[in-house]
C-alpha cells in the first residue's frame, strides 16, 4: 500500500506502556494542530485541549480516575488487551493514565448535542498524527471521572476550565516503552460491512 495516510491508519495501535521520556514541543504542536483541524459539528470548533505534562498532576488525576472508573473486570473471554493490559484487565494498575508523560484532556460544552463526537474526531486526528511522528497514544473515555474529587475540582479551577464545559475524554501521549512496539493488529471480524 502506497498511501501514507492509509499506512498510518493500519499501523496505529493503543499504547499503554510508556517510556518516561517526554515528547518534544515541536512534535506536540503538530499533534495538537491535527486536533484543531478535526471536523466539528457545524464547524463550531468547541473542543478545548488541556495539555498537561506535569508528572505529579497527571499521576494524581490518573489515580483519581482509576478509583472512580470502576470498570467491569476482564474475564478469560472478555478483555481489552492481552499485550498491554488496561485497568479493566489488571486490578493492580493504579493509574488510569498508565504513567503517560503527556495527558491531553478534551473538554466540550455540557449541553451541546455533539460534544462527544467532536472530541472523538479530534482525538482520532491526534492519534493518527502521533503515530505518524513515532509517538504512542491511547484514548481514555469518561474524562470527567478524573476530576470527581476536591483535587480534581481544584485543577479545573487552576486550568480556568469554563463551568459550562466538561471533560469528555483524555488522550495519552508518549513514546512506547523500550522493548514494546505497537501490538500486532487483531484479525478483522468478518461480516461487518453490509452492502445493498
Amino acid at each position: 500500500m502506497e498511501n501514507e495516510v492509509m499506512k498510518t491508519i493500519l499501523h496505529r495501535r493503543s499504547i499503554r506502556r510508556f517510556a518516561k521520556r517526554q515528547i518534544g514541543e515541536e512534535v506536540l504542536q503538530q499533534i495538537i494542530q491535527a486536533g484543531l483541524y478535526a471536523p466539528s459539528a457545524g464547524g463550531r470548533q468547541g473542543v478545548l485541549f488541556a495539555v498537561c505534562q506535569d508528572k505529579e498532576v497527571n499521576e494524581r488525576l490518573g489515580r483519581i480516575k482509576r478509583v472512580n472508573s470502576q470498570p467491569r473486570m476482564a474475564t478469560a473471554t472478555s478483555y481489552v488487551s492481552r499485550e498491554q493490559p488496561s485497568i479493566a484487565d489488571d486490578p493492580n494498575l493504579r493509574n488510569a493514565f498508565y504513567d503517560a508523560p503527556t495527558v491531553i484532556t478534551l473538554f466540550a460544552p455540557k449541553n451541546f448535542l455533539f460534544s462527544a463526537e467532536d472530541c472523538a474526531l479530534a482525538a482520532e486526528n491526534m492519534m493518527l498524527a502521533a503515530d505518524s511522528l513515532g509517538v504512542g497514544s491511547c484514548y481514555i473515555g469518561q474524562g470527567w471521572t478524573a476530576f470527581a474529587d476536591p483535587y480534581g475540582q481544584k485543577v479545573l479551577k487552576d486550568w480556568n476550565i469554563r463551568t459550562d464545559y466538561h471533560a469528555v475524554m483524555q488522550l495519552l501521549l508518549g513514546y512506547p516503552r523500550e522493548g514494546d512496539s505497537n501490538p500486532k493488529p487483531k484479525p478483522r471480524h468478518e461480516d461487518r460491512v453490509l452492502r445493498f
Side-chain angles (χ1 to χ4, degrees):
M1 182 169 295
E2 299 299 318
N3 183 286
E4 292 302 316
V5 173
M6 284 303 297
K7 284 182 187 176
T8 300
I9 289 170
L10 297 178
H11 180 263
R12 190 215 61 80
R13 298 284 173 275
S14 293
I15 301 298
R16 293 184 192 86
R17 294 179 182 154
F18 293 98
K20 294 185 187 315
R21 179 170 60 117
Q22 186 57 266
I23 61 177
E25 186 60 28
E26 184 179 319
V27 170
L28 177 61
Q29 287 303 317
Q30 290 180 69
I31 294 168
I32 292 168
Q33 185 176 28
L36 292 170
Y37 275 82
S40 61
R44 293 168 58 110
Q45 301 180 45
V47 177
L48 302 178
F49 304 82
V51 181
C52 186
Q53 294 184 309
D54 184 313
K55 182 180 181 195
E56 288 181 31
V57 172
N58 285 339
E59 183 173 333
R60 191 151 175 197
L61 290 175
R63 287 178 175 270
I64 293 166
K65 183 172 182 63
R66 173 66 176 100
V67 168
N68 290 319
S69 292
Q70 300 174 356
R72 193 172 23 174
M73 294 311 291
T75 65
T77 57
S78 177
Y79 52 87
V80 176
S81 174
R82 295 272 189 235
E83 299 86 8
Q84 294 192 47
S86 77
I87 60 170
D89 299 319
D90 185 351
N92 296 315
L93 291 172
R94 298 289 173 226
N95 182 345
F97 297 159
Y98 306 105
D99 299 317
T102 298
V103 177
I104 301 177
T105 302
L106 280 70
F107 292 88
K110 290 177 181 175
N111 295 318
F112 181 55
L113 184 60
F114 298 111
S115 285
E117 290 83 353
D118 285 353
C119 288
L121 287 165
E124 178 69 8
N125 266 22
M126 292 191 294
M127 289 187 292
L128 292 172
D131 188 83
S132 76
L133 296 165
V135 174
S137 65
C138 189
Y139 180 109
I140 307 290
Q142 300 180 340
W144 57 88
T145 57
F147 302 96
D149 83 345
Y151 177 79
Q153 293 298 302
K154 179 184 179 308
V155 169
L156 293 177
K157 285 187 179 138
D158 291 347
W159 290 355
N160 293 315
I161 301 300
R162 296 169 46 167
T163 58
D164 59 333
Y165 271 59
H166 70 123
V168 175
M169 50 81 56
Q170 278 88 22
L171 181 64
L172 313 181
L173 296 171
Y175 295 103
R177 201 167 60 188
E178 190 155 340
D180 285 331
S181 59
N182 272 17
K184 291 195 179 354
K186 295 178 174 131
R188 301 296 97 178
H189 295 297
E190 302 278 331
D191 303 324
R192 290 174 56 207
V193 178
L194 308 175
R195 295 187 67 142
F196 304 99

